[in-house]
Amino acid sequence: MEATQKEEYAIVLDFLPNGYPFDTRPSHLKTPIVQAIGKNKFVLLELVTKKDVALQPNQEVYIGEGKRDHIHHINGRIPESKLTRTAKAELEFVIRKIIQENQERFINFFNKAPPLSTRMHSLELLPGLGKKRMWEVLEERQVEPFKDFTDLRNRLKLVPDPEILVTRRVLQELAGTEKHMLFVARPEFAQRQFA
């Protein structure tokens, strides 16, 4: 990913009109907080809305350069552990929706994923896809690249659902314990973007 590429759109996970409940400041000093996830690199963000704007979970908001209709500013990246219960409950659903709406991008991963070393392939980083299934994907993509998730499912009956594989991997990367990042922006990239 190029360092200049930034998140332009985010999906609302939770909207806190009165800020965080644990914020001890007087109510006139609190700002409405939005917890959201970027649509491009799955960056978890804390946003502040414009005055008198109310948002709903699963609502898409523009956070790029220029005029924004709903968002005043971006506070920055937040760890998955800081998400509210509502945001955590919405997270998997929203990630799956982003993956479904951008199938071409994720099927390209199955078609072009490279080896990480002589002993490990990046496809093996998908939870539930072991060496045997990884070889099936590699052999089948040599015959013809996969067109979409349905094509992959039809041609490789024993490979787990690709949407679920990618969703689980994104959730693992968001938890912050993964060495290799396949889909989520590295923390240092997100810090440069939202500093």
Side-chain angles (χ1 to χ4, degrees), residues 6-195:
K6 294 183 176 184
E7 293 282 13
E8 291 201 345
Y9 292 92
I11 306 292
V12 175
L13 297 171
D14 195 7
F15 174 60
L16 305 156
N18 302 313
Y20 290 110
F22 53 80
D23 188 345
T24 56
R25 295 179 299 171
S27 58
H28 70 280
L29 294 177
K30 293 181 183 181
T31 56
I33 296 292
V34 177
Q35 291 188 336
I37 186 166
K39 283 186 72 175
N40 187 34
K41 292 305 272 180
F42 299 106
V43 177
L44 293 174
L45 299 167
E46 185 176 276
L47 314 171
V48 177
T49 61
K50 290 186 172 185
K51 189 173 171 66
D52 300 324
V53 168
L55 298 173
Q56 296 295 319
N58 300 312
Q59 184 174 344
E60 185 174 310
V61 293
Y62 178 71
I63 60 169
E65 301 293 327
K67 185 181 182 309
R68 299 177 186 148
D69 293 332
H70 303 95
I71 304 303
H72 184 271
H73 65 273
I74 302 167
N75 280 348
R77 185 179 183 137
I78 55 172
E80 188 232 9
S81 59
K82 192 176 177 182
L83 292 178
T84 63
R85 279 193 186 146
T86 301
K88 285 180 182 176
E90 293 293 323
L91 188 60
E92 186 171 346
F93 170 78
V94 170
I95 290 168
R96 190 110 183 238
K97 183 179 170 200
I98 292 169
I99 292 165
Q100 288 167 348
E101 290 173 355
N102 297 280
Q103 245 189 83
E104 184 181 339
R105 173 177 151 207
F106 297 101
I107 204 67
N108 274 341
F109 173 76
F110 286 92
N111 284 328
K112 297 178 180 176
L116 295 169
S117 68
T118 54
R119 293 176 172 231
M120 182 132 192
H121 198 281
S122 49
L123 285 169
E124 290 178 82
L125 297 177
L126 297 173
L129 191 76
K131 280 219 185 286
K132 185 176 180 181
R133 302 293 171 242
M134 180 263 311
W135 281 113
E136 289 175 20
V137 172
L138 293 176
E139 287 169 12
E140 194 60 35
R141 79 182 192 185
Q142 291 279 6
V143 175
E144 181 185 3
F146 301 107
K147 294 175 186 68
D148 53 29
F149 289 150
T150 304
D151 183 36
L152 190 147
R153 280 190 289 265
N154 289 340
R155 288 165 55 191
L156 299 166
K157 303 275 189 225
L158 298 176
V159 170
D161 186 321
E163 285 177 34
I164 294 171
L165 292 174
V166 174
T167 301
R168 287 182 183 155
R169 179 62 195 191
V170 170
L171 288 167
Q172 285 179 335
E173 291 179 23
L174 287 173
T177 56
E178 298 301 319
K179 177 182 174 185
H180 300 284
M181 303 299 258
L182 302 176
F183 306 112
V184 177
R186 293 197 167 282
E188 56 274 9
F189 164 78
Q191 293 303 331
R192 283 195 311 272
Q193 179 179 354
F194 303 111

